């Protein structure tokens, strides 16, 4: 079945450091890929998405590229801020509008 | 942006009682809502998909008679945990799908503790 694997956290960085959170997936066909972010005390929010191979999703300085050859969708940001501290979830959907399958989440802590 | 609310945010109940959790889309109509369960330091696990006016579709291993889902309107879905037991204690999260089929809007979650 479809699955998503994320790097374990927590990830602790200093402000302005470069961020990478690894995400790989297993799926049949051509899934859509997502990154969601959950700030403390809030619900999950869609951060970015990519719906086909080689697409790059981007938002708020974060980027992720849909790599079918390596079945990966790694999240990157060039310079993190304290306000980026949150839990980040990688997810996939096997069909348009279908159910989401989540990775285990990665906690990011950014220190000033 | 689209907002989804959940009520209550926290609930404590005694073993054997039933608890109802509401999920509302506040500024959009949602034909489809999803219910997830999240264990500490673990991922979200989809429990069921709820379509307005029809029966919910439950994921394998989820007891439909224990977790009753009703989606009576385009803005409200409810999850009732019947005859709750301590192992049902968890964080329950709903989401609603709007016009964009790729995007789900998530509620803030409900922490259920069964004593």
């Amino acid at each position: 079945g479809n699955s998503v694997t994320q790097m374990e956290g927590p990830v602790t960085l200093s402000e302005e450091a470069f961020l990478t959170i690894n995400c790989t997936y297993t799926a049949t066909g051509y899934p859509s890929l997502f990154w969601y972010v959950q700030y403390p005390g809030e619900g999950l929010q869609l951060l970015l998405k990519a719906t086909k191979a080689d697409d790059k999703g981007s938002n708020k300085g974060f980027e992720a590229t849909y790599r079918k050859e390596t079945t990966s969708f790694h999240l990157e940001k060039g310079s993190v801020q304290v306000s980026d501290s949150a839990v980040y979830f990688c997810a996939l959907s096997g069909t348009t509008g279908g159910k989401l399958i989540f990775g285990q989440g990665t906690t990011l802590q950014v220190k000033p | 942006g689209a907002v989804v609310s959940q009520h209550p945010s926290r609930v404590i109940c005694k073993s054997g009682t039933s608890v109802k959790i509401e999920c509302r889309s506040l500024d959009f109509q949602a034909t489809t809502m999803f219910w997830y369960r999240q264990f500490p330091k673990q991922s979200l696990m989809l429990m069921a998909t709820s379509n307005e006016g029809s029966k919910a579709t439950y994921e394998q291993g989820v007891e439909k008679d224990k977790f009753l889902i009703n989606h009576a309107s385009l803005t409200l879905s409810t999850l009732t945990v019947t005859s709750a037991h301590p192992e049902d204690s968890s964080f329950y999260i709903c989401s609603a799908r709007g016009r964009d089929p790729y995007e789900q809007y998530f509620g803030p979650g409900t922490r259920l503790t069964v004593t």
Side-chain angles (χ1 to χ4, degrees):
Chain A
N2 296 346
S3 65
V4 177
T5 303
Q6 286 179 240
M7 64 185 288
E8 289 193 24
V11 173
T12 303
L13 297 173
S14 297
E15 207 164 22
E16 299 184 1
F18 184 86
L19 168 71
T20 300
I21 300 178
N22 290 337
C23 171
T24 57
Y25 68 90
T26 301
T28 54
Y30 302 92
S32 298
L33 302 173
F34 306 84
W35 276 101
Y36 281 84
V37 58
Q38 185 175 30
Y39 298 104
E42 299 183 16
L44 274 75
Q45 302 172 26
L46 178 64
L47 181 59
L48 53 84
K49 67 176 185 282
T51 58
K52 61 182 187 296
D54 300 324
D55 267 2
K56 176 185 284 188
S58 62
N59 186 25
K60 299 181 180 179
F62 291 89
E63 294 183 341
T65 301
Y66 187 160
R67 302 282 189 201
K68 188 165 178 61
E69 64 275 13
T70 54
T71 62
S72 65
F73 193 54
H74 304 322
L75 181 68
E76 297 181 337
K77 187 174 185 182
S79 176
V80 294
Q81 306 299 312
V82 172
S83 57
D84 294 326
S85 298
V87 181
Y88 292 81
F89 291 91
C90 185
L92 72 79
S93 176
T95 57
T96 302
K99 63 182 182 182
L100 289 170
I101 296 172
F102 286 89
Q104 63 267 44
T106 302
T107 299
L108 171 65
Q109 298 175 336
V110 180
K111 297 187 175 181
Chain B
V3 178
V4 175
S5 69
Q6 278 185 246
H7 177 78
S9 57
R10 291 177 181 270
V11 58
I12 300 173
C13 70
K14 293 187 175 181
S15 188
T17 61
S18 295
V19 174
K20 180 183 286 187
I21 302 170
E22 292 186 348
C23 175
R24 292 182 185 275
S25 57
L26 298 185
D27 50 2
F28 67 102
Q29 294 184 332
T31 55
T32 303
M33 290 184 170
F34 303 86
W35 286 96
Y36 297 85
R37 185 171 177 178
Q38 185 178 28
F39 294 97
K41 299 189 185 300
Q42 294 189 28
S43 184
L44 283 74
M45 300 294 294
L46 180 66
M47 299 175 64
T49 301
S50 167
N51 290 297
E52 186 267 337
S54 62
K55 291 184 178 180
T57 302
Y58 290 81
E59 294 299 301
Q60 191 172 12
V62 177
E63 300 176 60
K64 61 181 181 181
D65 294 331
K66 181 167 187 60
F67 298 100
L68 300 179
I69 292 172
N70 183 279
H71 192 163
S73 77
L74 287 171
T75 59
L76 173 65
S77 177
T78 60
L79 168 68
T80 301
V81 183
T82 62
S83 186
H85 290 96
E87 57 265 30
D88 298 325
S89 297
S90 192
F91 196 55
Y92 292 89
I93 301 172
C94 73
S95 71
R97 194 171 69 207
R99 288 186 177 180
D100 183 345
Y102 291 107
E103 184 145 6
Q104 293 183 26
Y105 301 96
F106 285 79
T110 296
R111 172 75 60 192
L112 170 64
T113 303
V114 184
T115 61

